[in-house]
C-alpha cells in the first residue's frame, strides 16, 4: 500500500531535479552571451572577404581579357562588322573564335554567381567550369582548324585554358584555406574574450 505514494514522491523529485533552478538561470554570464552575439553579427556584417573579392576581380579580368583578344582578332581578319557576322551569324565550329568568348562568359556567370552572390565555400562550382573549359578547348584544338589561321589560333585557346586553371588554383589554395583560417581565428578570439569576461569565483 505504501508503494504508490513512494512512486509519486520519486516522480515528483525527478521532475523537480530535471527543471532548471533559479541558480542555473542566474549563473549565465551576460557578457559571455553578448560576446557570442557580437561575433555572429560581425561575421554577417563583414560580408565578402578580401581574398574572395580578389578572386572575383580575377574572374572579371578573365572575361575582359578574352573579350579584348577576340575583338583584336575580329579587327585583324578584316573589320569587326564583317568578321563578326561571319563568326556569329555564320558560326563554324572549326574556324570561329566566338565559342571561346562564350566559354569565358559561361565561366564568369557561374563563378560570380557561386562565389560572389551565393558565397559558396566549396570547390565544386569551379571544378565544373574548369572541366567544361578544358574538355571544350581540347576538343576544339583537335577537331578545328584554328592553327592554320595564324597566331590567334594558338593564343586564344591557350590563354583561356591557362586562366581557367589559375582561377582553380587561386580558389583552392588561397581563398578557401585563408577564409577557413580567418574563421578559426575569430572563433578563438571570441572564446578568449568570453573566458576573460568570466567572473572570478
Amino acid at each position: 500500500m505504501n508503494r504508490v505514494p513512494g512512486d509519486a514522491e520519486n516522480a515528483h523529485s525527478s521532475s523537480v531535479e530535471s527543471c532548471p533552478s533559479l541558480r542555473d538561470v542566474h549563473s549565465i554570464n551576460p557578457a559571455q552571451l553578448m560576446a557570442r552575439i557580437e561575433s555572429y553579427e560581425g561575421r554577417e556584417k563583414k560580408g565578402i572577404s578580401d581574398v574572395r573579392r580578389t578572386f572575383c576581380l580575377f574572374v572579371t579580368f578573365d572575361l575582359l581579357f578574352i573579350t579584348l583578344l577576340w575583338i583584336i582578332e575580329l579587327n585583324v581578319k578584316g573589320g569587326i562588322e564583317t568578321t563578326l557576322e561571319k563568326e556569329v551569324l555564320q558560326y563554324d565550329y572549326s574556324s570561329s573564335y566566338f565559342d571561346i568568348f562564350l566559354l569565358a562568359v559561361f565561366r564568369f556567370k557561374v563563378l560570380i554567381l557561386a562565389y560572389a552572390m551565393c558565397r559558396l565555400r566549396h570547390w565544386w562550382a569551379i571544378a565544373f567550369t574548369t572541366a567544361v573549359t578544358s574538355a571544350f578547348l581540347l576538343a576544339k584544338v583537335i577537331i578545328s582548324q584554328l592553327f592554320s589561321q595564324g597566331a590567334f589560333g594558338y593564343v586564344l585557346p591557350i590563354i583561356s585554358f591557362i586562366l581557367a586553371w589559375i582561377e582553380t588554383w587561386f580558389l583552392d589554395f588561397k581563398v578557401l584555406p585563408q577564409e577557413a583560417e580567418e574563421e578559426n581565428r575569430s572563433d578563438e578570439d571570441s572564446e578568449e574574450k568570453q573566458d576573460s569576461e568570466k567572473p572570478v569565483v
Side-chain angles (χ1 to χ4, degrees):
M1 295 298 291
N2 295 331
R3 178 176 299 179
V4 176
D7 294 339
E9 184 178 355
N10 292 333
H12 176 70
S13 62
S14 61
S15 64
V16 170
E17 291 176 357
S18 62
C19 296
S21 62
L22 292 176
R23 182 183 303 172
D24 295 333
V25 174
H26 288 292
S27 64
I28 298 176
N29 189 359
Q32 181 179 358
L33 183 61
M34 289 301 297
R36 185 169 293 274
I37 293 175
E38 288 175 359
S39 65
Y40 289 144
E41 290 179 351
R43 288 180 194 173
E44 293 179 356
K45 291 180 181 179
K46 185 179 179 181
I48 189 169
S49 64
D50 295 337
V51 65
R52 186 179 291 257
R53 191 180 300 111
T54 305
F55 170 77
C56 295
L57 184 63
F58 186 79
V59 172
T60 306
F61 166 78
D62 175 12
L63 174 63
L64 295 178
F65 190 52
I66 295 298
T67 304
L68 177 64
L69 289 178
W70 184 50
I71 293 174
I72 293 174
E73 181 266 337
L74 293 177
N75 271 324
V76 168
K77 281 188 173 181
I80 293 181
E81 294 182 0
T82 304
T83 314
L84 190 64
E85 180 180 355
K86 181 180 178 181
E87 290 201 2
V88 177
L89 299 180
Q90 302 173 5
Y91 171 75
D92 184 8
Y93 177 78
S94 61
S95 60
S96 178
Y97 296 93
F98 178 59
D99 46 13
I100 297 180
F101 164 74
L102 291 181
L103 198 62
V105 174
F106 162 75
R107 285 197 306 272
F108 174 80
K109 288 185 175 181
V110 173
L111 295 179
I112 293 298
L113 176 64
Y115 297 109
M117 301 179 67
C118 298
R119 298 179 187 176
L120 293 182
R121 295 189 176 184
H122 202 273
W123 48 263
W124 66 264
I126 198 167
F128 174 70
T129 58
T130 304
V132 171
T133 299
S134 301
F136 182 86
L137 291 176
L138 288 173
K140 190 172 182 65
V141 167
I142 293 172
I143 299 173
S144 68
Q145 304 171 357
L146 294 180
F147 291 163
S148 62
Q149 299 183 23
F152 280 97
Y154 299 88
V155 172
L156 271 175
I158 291 174
I159 290 181
S160 182
F161 185 85
I162 291 174
L163 290 176
W165 279 98
I166 290 177
E167 290 167 354
T168 305
W169 172 84
F170 190 76
L171 181 80
D172 198 22
F173 289 93
K174 294 294 182 180
V175 179
L176 299 181
Q178 185 168 335
E179 286 185 344
E181 184 179 353
E182 289 177 356
E183 184 177 357
N184 293 333
R185 190 182 301 116
S186 64
D187 290 338
E188 292 176 357
D189 293 340
S190 63
E191 290 177 0
E192 291 178 358
K193 184 177 180 181
Q194 292 168 12
D195 293 338
S196 62
E197 291 177 352
K198 286 182 180 180
V200 180
V201 179

